[in-house]
Amino acid sequence: MSTPKFTVAICGGGIGGLTAAIALARFSSEKKDIRIDIYEAAREFTEIGAGVVMFLRPWGVMKTLGLEQELAKISEVPIIENKPRVGFELRKSDQTTRSESFYEIMVTMGILAFYRAEFLMSLAGQLDSATTSKHFSKRLVSYTLPPASSPSSPITLNFKDGTTATCDVLIGADGIHSATRHTLLGLAAADAEADGSDEGRKSAEILRGMVDPVWSGSVAYRGVIPRERLEKLNPNHRAMKTPQNVRLHRRLINVVAFCSWPEKEGTTFEGKTVEERSKAELLEQYVGWEEEVQQLLQCMDSPSLWTINALKGLPISSHSRVALVGDAAHAMTPHQGSGAGQAIEDAYVLASILAHPLTTLESLPAALKVYEAIRLPHANDVQRRSRENGKLYEFTDPRFADLDLGDGATSSESDMQTLRKIGDAIFENWKWAWTTDIEDDRKKATALLEERVGGEN
C-alpha cells in the first residue's frame, strides 16, 4: 500500500459502515492511498433484526460496487430489472367478515428481500484486506479533535475499554444511539455559542436538543415464521404471493405488526427498546381482524416487541473532519423500508467524495460539507416521507379524516374512493425509491466539490 493521503476510521460495522469501507477501497483501488480502520462494538460483525429490503435506487449502488452477483446468491433478483412488479398490496384488514384490498403499489424491479445477517456477511466478505483493518469489541464513547493550533493533527478516538486510536477522518456509522453524533453535535453547539450572541445560543440549544432519538408513538411486534407452518393453516394465504407488512425470504416469513398511539409521538418510551412479549398479548392487539391476519399471528410463538424510535431531522451531518451516515444521521421509521438503503447511499456518496483527488487532509472539512449538502436534505426528506407513510397506513393522516373506520361488513363506495386516494398518496410519496437515480446525487456531489474545493486551488 502506498503512503496514504489520509486514514479513515469507520465506527460501526453495520450495513452503512461496511458499505463505506467497500466503496472507499474500490474508489481508491488504483492508488490504494486511503487506509481504512473499522471499529465494531461487538465481537464480530452482527445485525439485529430479521430482514432488510432494497429498492432499485440502492441496488444501483450494489451493482456499481460489483456486489450484485454475491447478493443474488441470497435473494431473488429479477432478470429484467426495469419491469414493474407488485411491491405491496394495501388491504383494510380490521374487519372479521369481509376485508378488502384497495391498492397495488407497482414498483420497478420489485423489492429485493434479504435475511439481514446473510446480507451483512456478504458485505463483510467483500472487504479489501490490503487497505482495510477490522477491530472488534471497540465501542466508541467519544472523540477528541486536535487543537486549533494544529488543525491537521489526528483525531483521537476514545473507546469504552479505555483504549484510544487515531485517524484523519471519522465516519460515524454507529446507529441510532450514536456516540459520534453525541460528540459531533456537542462540539458544533459549542462553536455556535462561542460568539456569545443570542442567535448562537439558540442554535446551540437546538443542536443539543437533537442528540437523542424520540419515540415515534409506535411499536412493532416482530417474528419469523416457517412458510410451511402457514401453508398448513392456509395454503392460499396472500403472504405467500404478495409483500404486505410481510417479507418472504426463501422458506421464512418475517412478520411485522405495528401498534400506534399517535398522540405520544415525540415522547420517550418507558421500557426496553427490544424485549420478548407473549403471544396472548399480540393476539389481543388484533382482536376482530380478518382471518388471514389471525393465521399469521397464530404462527408467532415468541414475538418480540420493538420500540420504533427516530431522530428529529438534523440540520448538520458533518463537523470538522467527522461525518455521520445512516441511522447515526437520520434514523427513521420503517414505513418506506429505506433505512438501510439510505445508509448505503450515504456511504456511496461519501466514499466517492473522499476518494476524489481534490479531497486532501487540508480540504476534508469542506469536502464533508459537500457530502452534507447533497445527502442530508434527501435523507431527511425520506425520513419525513416514511413517517407520513405510517400515518397513511394507519388512516391517521388528517387529509383523509372523512374515512369511516367502522367495522361494517364492507366499505361504502365513498370509503373505497377515499382508500384509493390513500393508495395514490402512498405511491406518490414512495416512488422516488425506484424512479430516481443515486448516480445523479453522486454527479452533483462531484460538481459541488469541484466548485467549492477546486476553486480554492
Side-chain angles (χ1 to χ4, degrees):
M1 182 176 176
S2 62
T3 302
K5 66 174 183 177
F6 47 70
T7 61
V8 178
I10 301 172
C11 284
I15 291 171
L18 294 191
T19 302
I22 294 167
L24 276 169
R26 299 195 178 183
F27 286 146
S28 60
S29 60
E30 184 176 340
K31 294 183 177 180
K32 291 189 178 297
D33 58 351
I34 297 179
R35 194 184 77 215
I36 306 158
D37 288 288
I38 303 175
Y39 297 96
E40 166 55 38
R43 290 177 291 180
E44 60 183 359
F45 293 130
T46 183
E47 278 276 9
I48 60 172
V52 60
V53 299
M54 193 175 299
F55 295 98
L56 187 61
R57 188 175 153 112
W59 181 242
V61 174
M62 299 291 100
K63 293 173 68 176
T64 300
L65 297 179
L67 304 178
E68 72 274 22
Q69 290 186 357
E70 283 301 310
L71 293 175
K73 296 176 183 178
I74 59 173
S75 185
E76 296 181 9
V77 179
I79 297 174
I80 303 174
E81 294 183 3
N82 62 355
K83 179 182 177 181
R85 292 172 171 80
V86 177
F88 287 95
E89 176 185 344
L90 304 182
R91 186 170 173 82
K92 190 173 185 296
S93 298
D94 57 346
Q95 300 169 164
T96 56
T97 51
R98 181 183 171 186
S99 294
E100 295 156 304
S101 298
F102 60 89
Y103 205 91
E104 288 185 343
I105 296 181
M106 303 301 294
V107 177
T108 303
M109 187 187 75
I111 303 171
L112 302 185
F114 300 89
Y115 185 50
R116 189 172 284 264
E118 287 186 350
F119 183 73
L120 194 70
M121 287 304 100
S122 290
L123 293 181
Q126 298 298 310
L127 294 173
D128 180 6
S129 60
T131 59
T132 306
S133 299
K134 299 169 287 187
H135 312 270
F136 296 105
S137 299
K138 293 294 180 183
R139 181 179 296 278
L140 186 77
V141 293
S142 67
Y143 65 84
T144 307
L145 293 177
S149 59
S150 183
S152 296
S153 294
I155 299 168
T156 300
L157 309 178
N158 308 304
F159 298 105
K160 187 177 180 180
D161 63 5
T163 62
T164 61
T166 60
C167 64
D168 296 317
V169 189
L170 170 58
I171 298 176
D174 45 350
I176 189 171
H177 299 291
S178 170
T180 311
R181 181 182 68 248
H182 191 283
T183 302
L184 185 151
L185 292 181
L187 292 173
D191 287 350
E193 64 189 2
D195 64 1
S197 68
D198 289 341
E199 184 179 350
R201 284 192 290 271
K202 183 178 180 180
S203 295
E205 183 179 354
I206 291 172
L207 288 169
R208 292 191 176 106
M210 292 182 163
V211 168
D212 296 319
V214 295
W215 187 28
S216 68
S218 298
V219 298
Y221 291 88
R222 303 187 66 171
V224 178
I225 62 177
R227 176 173 175 164
E228 291 82 359
R229 183 171 179 183
L230 184 60
E231 283 180 322
K232 289 180 180 178
L233 287 176
N234 182 356
N236 297 313
H237 197 290
R238 67 189 63 247
M240 308 292 179
K241 301 173 290 183
T242 306
Q244 294 169 62
N245 267 344
V246 179
R247 307 284 188 250
L248 183 62
H249 173 78
R250 294 180 182 173
R251 307 305 295 176
L252 298 176
I253 299 176
N254 179 32
V255 183
V256 186
F258 290 93
C259 297
S260 298
W261 297 265
E263 71 280 3
K264 295 184 179 180
E265 181 176 6
T267 65
T268 300
F269 181 78
E270 300 297 333
K272 296 180 180 178
T273 303
V274 181
E275 63 180 331
E276 297 300 312
R277 290 296 180 94
S278 69
K279 182 176 180 177
E281 176 183 314
L282 170 62
L283 293 174
E284 184 179 354
Q285 298 287 356
Y286 286 84
V287 170
W289 286 55
E290 69 168 316
E291 186 177 10
E292 285 198 347
V293 171
Q294 302 297 331
Q295 291 166 344
L296 273 174
L297 303 184
Q298 285 290 348
C299 294
M300 295 171 65
D301 291 330
S302 302
S304 56
L305 183 73
W306 294 60
T307 307
I308 309 301
N309 291 319
L311 289 177
K312 300 173 184 177
L314 299 185
I316 61 171
S317 60
S318 73
H319 176 261
S320 185
R321 288 182 274 131
V322 182
L324 305 173
V325 300
D327 282 355
H330 39 70
M332 59 189 66
T333 60
H335 302 305
Q336 287 204 340
S338 293
Q342 288 307 290
I344 289 168
E345 292 184 20
D346 283 349
Y348 180 67
V349 172
L350 179 56
S352 177
I353 291 171
L354 291 175
H356 195 283
L358 285 174
T359 304
T360 64
L361 186 59
E362 291 72 27
S363 67
L364 274 168
L368 294 184
K369 283 300 175 185
V370 169
Y371 158 73
E372 176 184 291
I374 298 299
R375 282 297 309 153
L376 187 59
H378 175 81
N380 280 349
D381 186 55
V382 174
Q383 182 190 59
R384 177 191 62 79
R385 290 171 183 270
S386 183
R387 189 69 195 102
E388 188 173 291
N389 265 27
K391 294 178 180 179
L392 288 165
Y393 299 156
E394 298 174 347
F395 308 141
T396 59
D397 188 302
R399 292 174 293 174
F400 304 101
D402 59 336
L403 178 65
D404 182 3
L405 296 178
D407 57 358
T410 61
S411 299
S412 67
E413 178 55 33
S414 175
D415 284 342
M416 286 302 294
Q417 290 178 3
T418 301
L419 288 170
R420 286 190 285 269
K421 289 179 181 178
I422 290 174
D424 286 336
I426 292 169
F427 176 82
E428 289 297 320
N429 204 36
W430 207 344
K431 66 181 183 181
W432 65 268
W434 54 88
T435 60
T436 62
D437 192 340
I438 185 60
E439 288 304 321
D440 292 337
D441 286 3
R442 184 183 172 191
K443 291 175 184 176
K444 290 177 183 177
T446 300
L448 189 58
L449 182 70
E450 292 171 350
E451 174 188 328
R452 290 187 179 180
V453 178
E456 298 175 358
N457 297 333

